[in-house]
Amino acid sequence: MGKQNANLINDYHLLSFDTLDSTNEEAKRLARAGGGHGAVIWAKQQTAGKGRMGRNWVSEDGNLFVSILLQPEKPLTECSQLSFVTAVAVIETLEALVPKNAKLACKWPNDILLGDKKLGGILLESFHAPDTGHWVVVGVGVNVDSFPPRTEFPATCLKDSGVE
């Protein structure tokens, strides 16, 4: 690993919780309190997870809920590209876990699909905190162990795809 990669890894730190209202909301609170660039916020369960357009994100124990807090040195207009970067990273990570014949895809702007069912989602939020400047939160949720049974779009989980 080159020096640049080592520094990149050292810029991030994990904050883990048994339960949070929302990993994205915890990231925002951290930013408003004075910092936390590179914080990776992970919760075993969320009580008020959210998806795009304020939709409820069902957050059952056994699934993945994580947010990354960034204070980029780029204009916010360029930061929207983080959705694409995140989608590619999530899909490449999941490809190593699902059966080889499984079809993973990203449905813009934020759905991760396994076949024709929703496996996960990405929620990118940007905001300005008065004392600390511009921030971006990259939230990711993946149905690992379970999925909500009655949703607007069919859903699935890694467990049902043969991943143990």
Side-chain angles (χ1 to χ4, degrees):
M1 175 175 2
K3 185 176 181 181
Q4 184 176 13
N5 288 340
N7 289 336
L8 179 66
I9 291 169
N10 290 334
D11 287 344
Y12 294 86
H13 51 284
L14 178 66
L15 303 172
S16 63
F17 300 87
D18 286 334
T19 304
L20 280 176
D21 56 345
S22 158
T23 57
N24 271 31
E25 290 304 314
E26 181 67 18
K28 291 177 195 178
R29 287 188 291 266
L30 183 60
R32 289 182 181 114
H37 170 81
V40 178
I41 296 104
W42 169 62
K44 292 180 184 176
Q45 188 173 30
Q46 295 183 119
T47 59
K50 62 182 178 176
R52 193 167 156 260
M53 298 191 303
R55 292 184 181 119
N56 181 41
W57 183 267
V58 177
S59 304
E60 297 293 329
D61 189 31
N63 292 335
L64 175 68
F65 320 107
V66 65
S67 297
I68 303 168
L69 178 60
L70 303 170
Q71 191 169 35
E73 296 177 4
K74 301 279 182 186
L76 286 178
T77 53
E78 289 181 36
C79 292
S80 64
Q81 296 172 17
L82 287 169
S83 273
F84 294 110
V85 172
T86 304
V88 169
V90 170
I91 288 174
E92 286 183 355
T93 300
L94 293 172
E95 282 176 340
L97 301 174
V98 299
K100 293 198 185 300
N101 62 343
K103 182 183 174 201
L104 287 164
C106 178
K107 183 180 129 212
W108 178 252
N110 67 326
D111 291 344
I112 302 297
L113 303 178
L114 178 58
D116 60 350
K117 297 179 179 178
K118 187 168 180 171
L119 177 64
I122 298 163
L123 181 60
L124 189 68
E125 296 184 284
S126 62
F127 64 98
H128 181 83
D131 295 331
T132 59
H134 290 287
W135 294 89
V136 175
V137 179
V138 180
V140 176
V142 177
N143 298 330
V144 176
D145 193 56
S146 64
F147 60 93
R150 291 172 297 282
T151 57
E152 185 177 350
F153 302 102
T156 191
C157 64
L158 287 174
K159 182 178 172 184
D160 285 359
S161 74
V163 175
E164 295 184 19

